[in-house]
Amino acid sequence: ALKTLSFHGNELTGAIPTELGNLRALTSLQLYVNQFTGQIPSELGELQALKTLRIGENELTGVIPTELGNLRALTSLQLYVNQFTGQIPSELGELQALKTLSFFGNELTGVIPT
């Protein structure tokens, strides 16, 4: 089964495919430094084995999906330099394995979850 999917540093456009949520064995998803638009698919919250999610430096918008709080194995969540708005979901405060959290360069408001 596919464990790592890395398309960083390209010029990929359009939405992040919702079908990525079907890659249940995935431990690393790296889509940073592209030109993806739209929102983070809530289906990514189905990737229970995921340890690394890097989708920084794209053109993503909307709110950060609460479903990312389901990623209990996640150690690195990097959503920097996009156009996310709204609050950081409180569910992310439940991610006990998280070691790296990078949200800089967005338009987030509210409090940091604990």
Side-chain angles (χ1 to χ4, degrees), residues 35-107:
Q35 297 171 19
F36 287 113
T37 56
Q39 299 187 4
I40 297 174
S42 59
E43 289 82 357
L44 296 188
E46 301 294 323
L47 301 175
Q48 298 295 310
L50 199 64
K51 294 182 179 181
T52 301
L53 178 58
R54 291 183 71 182
I55 52 178
E57 295 188 55
N58 280 285
E59 298 171 19
L60 297 169
T61 57
V63 297
I64 298 168
T66 58
E67 290 84 356
L68 295 186
N70 297 334
L71 303 176
R72 301 294 183 197
L74 204 62
T75 59
S76 179
L77 177 58
Q78 300 184 43
L79 307 180
Y80 56 89
V81 190
N82 278 289
Q83 298 166 28
F84 295 120
T85 56
Q87 297 188 357
I88 299 170
S90 60
E91 290 82 355
L92 298 186
E94 312 274 326
L95 298 177
Q96 299 298 313
L98 203 58
K99 298 190 183 315
T100 303
L101 181 64
S102 184
F103 287 169
F104 71 88
N106 284 287
E107 300 170 25

Side-chain angles (χ1 to χ4, degrees), residues 2 8 31 43 67 73 80 112:
L2 187 64
H8 70 276
L31 303 176
E43 289 82 357
E67 290 84 356
Y80 56 89
I112 298 172

